[in-house]
Amino acid sequence: AQSVTQLDSHVSVSEGTPVLLRCNYSSSYSPSLFWYVQHPNKGLQLLLKYTSAATLVKGINGFEAEFKKSETSFHLTKPSAHMSDAAEYFCVVSDRGSTLGRLYFGRGTQLTVWP
Amino acid sequence: DTEVTQTPKHLVMGMTNKKSLKCEQHMGHRAMYWYKQKAKKPPELMFVYSYEKLSINESVPSRFSPECPNSSLLNLHLHALQPEDSALYLCASSQDRAEPDTQYFGPGTRLTVL
């Protein structure tokens, strides 16, 4: 069975400081993993995606994530936060082991960026 | 182009009204999805169409009726909704549902049921 745990419901950082959003997953198969961002009253935008190629994945807007199989983690990082990064972030695992193609969402992490 | 469009952006309807939500993509994707998202929660899958055929219905009440007229369009027909159906309705598409792939989301329709 697939599941995702986002370890923090809220993260607050100051502008210009590093961002770390934590995600652990459980998957019966070799997973595909995603991070999506959702700004208020907007749809979900894909930040980055891991599909068994390079374990360090670079995404848009300076974000990156590292797949660590031994730790079943896929944490999202950014060296320097910007005010525009304030949003809800979802870690997602896809069900590659079945024909359904479902996405399993974490509960989300609300990122606040202080000036 | 990775754009999924949804109309309308906002919709207010009474419990006796009939309305429809529309979703469109021109990426050649053959899988399309409807999600419902309540405030401060992740999206919940409602329906999946694959090659214009309904393949997943997540036990959604019959007051929600999906339709896929062609490979680019997805509609969600609404009738006799309840106030608890108020939510953000998201449409998404992907290249192939059978091979889990990247889903691209539209901006959503904010639905309020009075």
Side-chain angles (χ1 to χ4, degrees), chain B residues 32-47:
Chain B
M32 296 186 76
Y33 310 77
W34 279 117
Y35 289 85
K36 173 183 178 180
Q37 186 181 25
K38 301 286 273 185
K40 304 297 183 184
K41 298 289 187 183
E44 299 174 3
L45 184 64
M46 300 175 72
F47 302 104

Side-chain angles (χ1 to χ4, degrees), chain B residues 8-10 16 18 26 38 42 51 53 56 60 64-65 68 78-79 81 86 89 93 100-101 109:
Chain B
K9 290 185 178 179
H10 302 275
T16 59
K18 287 185 180 181
H26 294 288
K38 301 286 273 185
Y51 291 85
K53 293 191 188 312
I56 294 179
V60 178
F64 294 92
S65 175
C68 190
L78 314 173
H79 174 55
L81 294 193
S86 298
Y89 287 84
S93 70
D101 207 340
T109 293

Side-chain angles (χ1 to χ4, degrees), chain B residues 25 28-32 48-55 68-73 94-99:
Chain B
Q25 57 88 13
H29 290 173
R30 301 312 299 268
M32 296 186 76
V48 181
Y49 273 84
S50 179
Y51 291 85
E52 296 144 60
K53 293 191 188 312
L54 183 64
S55 58
C68 190
N70 60 57
S71 60
S72 300
L73 280 175
S94 67
Q95 284 186 324
D96 182 7
R97 180 187 64 81
E99 177 63 29

Side-chain angles (χ1 to χ4, degrees), chain A residues 36 38 41 49 99 102, chain B residues 37 58 97 102-103 110:
Chain A
Y36 284 88
Q38 186 175 31
N41 298 309
K49 162 183 170 182
T99 60
R102 290 177 180 278
Chain B
Q37 186 181 25
E58 290 289 275
R97 180 187 64 81
T102 308
Q103 290 188 22
R110 174 71 61 188

